[in-house]
Amino acid sequence: MREYFLRRLLLTIPTFLGATLVVFVIIQLAPGGPLEQQIMALRMAMGGEAAAGGLAGQTGAMIPESALQELRRYYGFDKPIWQRYLAWLGVWPREIESYIAQPGRPRNVGEGKQILVRKTPSGYELIDPATGKPVSGWRVEPQPSEGGQERVRISRVGFSGILTGDFGTSYVYREPVMKLILERLPVSLQFGLIGFILSYTICIYLGIQKALSHGSPFDLVTSTLIFIGYSIPGWALGAFLLMLFGTQSFVELFPLGGFQSEFYEQLSLWEKILDRAWHFVLPTIAYTIGSFASLTVLMKNALLENLSQDYIRTAFAKGLAERRVIWLHALRNSIIPIAANIGYIIGLFLAGSYLIELVFNIDGVGKLSIEAVFARDYPIVFAFTVLAVLIRLFGAILSDLVLALVDPRIRFR
Amino acid sequence: MRLRRRTAASSAPAAVGSPTILQRRWRKFKSLRRGYYSLVVLVSAYVLSFFLPLLVNNKALVVHYNGQWYFPAVKSWLVSLPLIGGLFGTDFYSGEQFGQVGNSAECNYRELKRQYELEQQGNFVILPLYPYSPFEDISVEGNVPFLAPLQVGPDGFVRLLGTDDRGRDVFARMAYGFQISLSFALLLALLEYLIGVPIGAMLGFFGGRFDILAQRLIEIWATVPFLFLVIIVASIVRPNFALLLLLLALFTWVGITVLIRAEFYREKAKDYVAAAVAIGVPRWKIMFKHILPNSLVPIITYFPFSVVAGIGALVSLDFLGFGLPPPTPSWGEMMSVGLQHLATGKWWLMLSPMAALFVTLTLIVFIGESVREAFDPRTFSRLR
């Protein structure tokens, strides 16, 4: 068993690499990516006179080659795609930061540090002006001089990528992506976990009741409701609920989105809890609906199947109470398929919620990511896809693990 | 136990006695009334939706002007037909052609009708049942933004479901949106099958190292958060109908592949396959002529759910503004407009597309559920 899960864990590595490669290649190769966007923006900024002169479309004619090269370098497009992917992973050296400096003058290189480039007969040497000692880990390249001034590019090269925990810096927020995501994770997690727990408790109970009254009006009505819920995307239901209960048009019961009230900080603890709950009702319904149908039907069918087994007949025959037979004997075996779904459902809650967060204007990871798509903030977009891939991968393993825990008959090999 | 499907020709003498398995399944399906009536309603609505240009259109059905007959709506219907629509040229008639003085743009048939009635010169116009198109907006006279449902517009016609922020008719957009959504989802499901079924068949049939390798690739493909990725790509490339179809099919074929693979895996161990191999039937023939008809159950039962997923994906993309290009009437786009104007009490902008989506999806799920029960009666009633 341990061997099996060890193998599963090891197998996630190629799958992770493959999935991220697919995402990376598709996004990078799609025409109109970040580089083209920037070139477009530059062209717009440089004025429309050339476009009016019939030069539209000839980018090269307008933007100087040096600027183009600078852009390609910034986005890493000066290297082949496999190098870009490896550098993004963090297993290929890449330029972490670079500055244009003038020899003989100290250059600020961030975090209050300075570097002095000094010309030597053999080339250049880099010195920390504060200590006077040579600096290591930096590379120097001469640049074409500008206005008679000699210039060099100094750059630090190293391994930095998603494997080293570096998801890059957001183009929009100018902050590390990791920090942005961590800031918003608690909000998303709260919704995800509450939705997850609620859907499991309700679905298991509902599934049992439906199985016990199979074919009754209650069963048929709830089935119909469940099918309706199954067919509708969670975010669409959320928008519908907002229309019904979030505005004055019908019944104004709940707030029109958001995570907490504006004056949340001034509330007492009890009022805070109520306020949060008030904001949570509609989004939680939207979250839950996605997994509701499959879980309930799964539960119902598993229980029905078990109730027709011989060991249940035996239990009844030897005179056990009906409650005991159902809740202790049949239920324990019927829980198994539901438990096996846990990993998948968790993935659904954590990574599939961007549309719901957008509809309800909840400042979670999902909203951050989908807005990053709008703003073409690629580092955030990449980080979110990596996160989603990881959640799916480990969700699948978690499912198997739970399955092995609740069902001793199952032997993974 | 699964019987071979008999063709109509070979079963002609015996048809009186025992129904074929498909006949029996069809009877079972018909006996499940919820699903059967859902199918009847949905198919009728879908067939009807192909005649939308004759029913819901701002172009007149008939214009009788100076002794001549014109049929602009019929023309626009012919133009709207898939594949052959391009043969019919344009459905454009300028206002001046029909005597609307000074209107060189598209003729406004609602005004034309009023004009002819005032003139009393024997000219007349017959408008479609609901005289608005999903495309005309505030730039056409008589269209006012944010008319409430059942309110009468300035041109004297009732707006069943009101108008949106650009004065476009919500009912017309909703109706045309139905056609587009369902067509898109059906085509997507077909495309998925075209990719997924052969791949699944090969994996299940050949097995071995090829299968193991392909399984890994499929796992990778299934791990990619596909809707998010499609959203990203669509936000970069701005797709049209065909490209969006391809893009989604590229990621959604995996579902049916896995099912077909399992089915082929099971079937290939059976005697009839061994017999076919023994008498030297070529492999592709065994796969597609012998095994495939026996693997119909997952193929057919998965289809409705695949359509539901297709509509859901399209609506999500349109909602974000990365779906079909802008003037296209789509429920997702209508919902995003509705969401923007929710706080100001324009509830009908949200309710109309939402109701259409709910009803359509629910009908399909009912159909799917009944199909599953008719084809696969072993389980009670299981969703995917």
Side-chain angles (χ1 to χ4, degrees):
Chain A
M1 190 79 105
R2 184 181 299 168
E3 229 170 83
Y4 172 81
F5 282 105
L6 208 64
R7 207 167 59 219
R8 279 294 298 269
L9 275 175
L10 284 178
L11 267 180
T12 57
I13 297 173
T15 314
F16 174 78
L17 291 179
T20 48
L21 183 67
V22 168
V23 173
F24 190 86
V25 168
I26 287 181
I27 297 179
Q28 292 261 324
L29 289 190
L35 180 64
E36 274 100 348
Q37 285 296 317
Q38 269 302 316
I39 292 175
M40 283 276 283
L42 260 183
R43 208 160 57 153
M44 301 283 264
M46 285 172 125
E49 72 265 30
L55 271 172
Q58 295 181 20
T59 13
M62 296 190 53
I63 300 172
E65 188 54 34
S66 63
L68 266 182
Q69 242 165 25
E70 192 59 33
L71 269 179
R72 276 198 209 106
R73 191 191 174 102
Y74 180 74
Y75 287 105
F77 276 86
D78 53 341
K79 298 184 188 67
I81 187 150
W82 60 271
Q83 268 187 29
R84 270 182 270 156
Y85 174 67
L86 291 178
W88 175 71
L89 274 181
V91 295
W92 192 271
R94 70 181 179 109
E95 213 169 75
I96 295 168
E97 46 187 339
S98 81
Y99 304 92
I100 300 288
Q102 289 173 4
R105 275 210 205 154
R107 176 74 168 92
N108 291 325
V109 292
E111 287 164 13
K113 283 186 189 146
Q114 285 191 321
I115 283 183
L116 178 69
V117 182
R118 202 188 282 165
K119 216 170 173 182
T120 60
S122 58
Y124 300 95
E125 66 171 358
L126 298 174
I127 284 167
D128 186 346
T131 57
K133 282 179 188 156
V135 190
S136 63
W138 288 78
R139 209 165 49 181
V140 191
E141 292 160 77
Q143 291 283 303
S145 60
E146 202 173 78
Q149 274 289 347
E150 195 186 0
R151 300 189 318 155
V152 292
R153 172 192 290 281
I154 52 172
S155 53
R156 193 156 65 88
V157 173
F159 297 93
S160 183
I162 53 172
L163 292 181
T164 62
D166 174 18
F167 283 89
T169 309
S170 156
Y171 300 159
V172 174
Y173 296 89
R174 306 261 166 212
E175 273 186 86
V177 173
M178 205 59 181
K179 184 175 165 250
L180 290 167
I181 286 184
L182 286 179
E183 274 171 11
R184 286 161 179 78
L185 204 55
V187 178
S188 296
L189 278 182
Q190 275 180 40
F191 276 105
L193 284 180
I194 289 177
F196 173 73
I197 293 167
L198 265 184
S199 58
Y200 260 79
T201 33
I202 298 175
C203 289
I204 290 179
Y205 184 75
L206 191 65
I208 295 170
Q209 292 305 327
K210 280 171 69 66
L212 293 183
S213 54
H214 180 60
S216 71
F218 166 76
D219 184 36
L220 292 179
V221 170
T222 45
S223 284
T224 310
L225 288 179
I226 281 173
F227 291 148
I228 296 174
Y230 167 83
S231 59
I232 295 157
W235 64 266
L237 183 79
F240 180 66
L241 291 174
L242 267 186
M243 183 199 80
L244 280 184
F245 303 119
T247 63
Q248 291 159 349
S249 310
F250 294 93
V251 194
E252 199 174 8
L253 273 181
F254 297 105
L256 193 64
F259 178 58
Q260 55 198 26
S261 296
E262 261 173 65
F263 42 88
Y264 181 75
E265 293 306 323
Q266 301 152 22
L267 298 175
S268 68
L269 179 67
W270 180 238
E271 285 172 328
K272 270 185 185 171
I273 295 173
L274 277 181
D275 181 72
R276 202 45 81 81
W278 187 53
H279 280 85
F280 264 46
V281 176
L282 295 185
T284 312
I285 297 177
Y287 267 93
T288 331
I289 203 75
S291 55
F292 206 81
S294 47
L295 277 182
T296 312
V297 175
L298 205 63
M299 181 70 218
K300 180 192 164 188
N301 289 340
L303 189 57
L304 270 181
E305 220 164 292
N306 271 304
L307 284 176
S308 63
Q309 298 282 313
D310 285 341
Y311 72 89
I312 294 295
R313 195 181 310 155
T314 313
F316 275 123
K318 69 178 185 184
L320 288 182
E322 189 186 319
R323 294 174 61 109
R324 196 177 162 83
V325 176
I326 291 168
W327 289 91
L328 276 176
H329 294 236
L331 191 60
R332 276 181 68 175
N333 281 313
S334 314
I335 288 285
I336 291 167
I338 290 247
N341 242 350
I342 257 182
Y344 169 70
I345 302 280
I346 283 188
L348 211 66
F349 277 115
L350 294 186
S353 54
Y354 43 88
L355 285 165
I356 297 178
E357 287 185 5
L358 194 69
V359 166
F360 284 100
N361 198 18
I362 296 165
D363 261 319
V365 179
K367 188 171 165 240
L368 175 79
S369 326
I370 199 79
E371 281 176 351
V373 175
F374 288 123
R376 295 172 201 273
D377 195 346
Y378 286 84
I380 295 184
V381 171
F382 275 124
F384 182 73
T385 35
V386 169
L387 205 67
V389 166
L390 281 178
I391 290 172
R392 273 164 195 244
L393 281 176
F394 286 101
I397 296 183
L398 182 73
S399 277
D400 282 356
L401 203 61
V402 170
L403 190 59
L405 286 179
V406 295
D407 192 352
R409 288 170 303 184
I410 288 178
R411 288 274 171 274
F412 288 111
R413 262 175 297 135
Chain B
M1 182 194 73
R2 222 167 260 139
L3 300 173
R4 273 294 311 276
R5 183 170 64 135
R6 259 179 289 171
T7 59
S10 72
S11 66
V16 194
S18 58
T20 64
I21 180 99
L22 273 189
Q23 279 172 340
R24 259 186 285 154
R25 282 168 176 166
W26 173 244
R27 269 182 215 166
K28 168 84 176 153
F29 177 74
K30 266 172 99 169
S31 75
L32 301 164
R33 277 172 308 172
R34 189 170 66 184
Y36 179 64
Y37 289 131
S38 299
L39 183 72
V40 170
V41 170
L42 193 73
V43 169
S44 326
Y46 188 55
V47 170
L48 202 64
S49 77
F50 280 98
F51 297 94
L52 270 176
L54 300 177
L55 301 169
V56 179
N57 203 341
N58 60 348
K59 295 181 175 52
L61 282 175
V62 181
V63 176
H64 184 69
Y65 178 60
N66 289 350
Q68 284 206 305
W69 298 87
Y70 301 89
F71 306 95
V74 179
K75 196 99 188 265
S76 83
W77 176 65
L78 289 173
V79 171
S80 80
L81 290 177
L83 301 176
I84 53 166
L87 302 175
F88 299 100
T90 167
D91 55 357
F92 177 84
Y93 291 97
S94 77
E96 278 168 343
Q97 250 169 304
F98 294 133
Q100 277 186 334
V101 182
N103 181 12
S104 58
E106 168 97 61
C107 178
N108 186 336
Y109 296 96
R110 295 184 299 268
E111 262 181 22
L112 194 67
K113 185 181 166 80
R114 202 171 320 137
Q115 187 187 330
Y116 285 180
E117 279 164 8
L118 282 177
E119 287 169 357
Q120 299 257 333
Q121 291 173 344
N123 298 328
F124 64 88
V125 173
I126 301 177
L127 291 174
L129 218 53
Y130 192 74
Y132 289 96
S133 108
F135 299 109
E136 54 170 333
D137 57 14
I138 203 162
S139 62
V140 176
E141 214 180 305
N143 292 329
V144 183
F146 299 126
L147 278 180
L150 296 179
Q151 204 176 332
V152 178
D155 52 358
F157 288 94
V158 171
R159 301 296 192 135
L160 274 184
L161 295 173
T163 57
D164 70 1
D165 59 337
R166 280 179 245 171
R168 297 175 300 190
D169 191 87
V170 173
F171 176 76
R173 287 183 73 73
M174 197 183 83
Y176 279 82
F178 170 77
Q179 220 245 294
I180 288 171
S181 305
L182 202 54
S183 302
F184 184 88
L186 285 172
L187 284 173
L188 177 63
L190 276 180
L191 205 57
E192 267 174 65
Y193 274 37
L194 277 181
I195 307 173
V197 171
I199 294 181
M202 283 195 288
L203 294 187
F205 189 75
F206 294 122
R209 217 172 282 169
F210 168 60
D211 181 38
I212 292 174
L213 196 75
Q215 284 275 73
R216 289 268 78 81
L217 290 179
I218 284 181
E219 196 180 314
I220 289 175
W221 216 243
T223 311
V224 171
F226 94 87
L227 191 60
F228 193 69
L229 195 58
V230 171
I231 288 172
I232 299 169
V233 176
S235 78
I236 303 172
V237 216
R238 305 259 91 185
N240 54 18
F241 192 88
L243 191 63
L244 202 61
L245 210 58
L246 276 177
L247 206 57
L248 280 168
L250 195 62
F251 290 97
T252 44
W253 57 270
V254 180
I256 187 69
T257 303
V258 175
L259 292 177
I260 290 293
R261 177 189 165 273
E263 195 71 12
F264 266 66
Y265 207 75
R266 231 187 345 259
E267 288 292 322
K268 82 168 178 183
K270 293 195 174 158
D271 287 343
Y272 72 88
V273 177
V277 173
I279 60 171
V281 181
R283 280 190 202 158
W284 64 267
K285 218 170 168 180
I286 297 179
M287 278 162 70
F288 292 105
K289 207 178 157 205
H290 296 272
I291 304 185
L292 194 64
N294 283 311
S295 317
L296 275 182
V297 172
I299 293 187
I300 293 180
T301 51
Y302 183 75
F303 195 80
F305 297 96
S306 165
V307 173
V308 166
I311 293 183
L314 178 68
V315 169
S316 304
L317 278 166
D318 279 337
F319 173 72
L320 292 170
F322 299 140
L324 300 170
T328 316
S330 75
W331 293 339
E333 187 262 355
M334 291 169 78
M335 283 181 209
S336 84
V337 172
L339 194 66
Q340 283 166 30
H341 298 281
L342 209 53
T344 49
K346 311 284 191 298
W347 51 270
W348 62 92
L349 297 182
M350 182 60 107
L351 185 64
S352 311
M354 199 66 89
L357 177 74
F358 283 15
V359 170
T360 309
L361 290 185
T362 309
L363 285 179
I364 304 175
V365 172
F366 283 165
I367 296 170
E369 185 52 29
S370 298
V371 166
R372 187 156 277 177
E373 219 171 309
F375 274 73
D376 202 3
R378 281 164 297 175
T379 49
F380 300 96
S381 62
R382 95 194 126 94
L383 292 165
R384 189 153 43 95

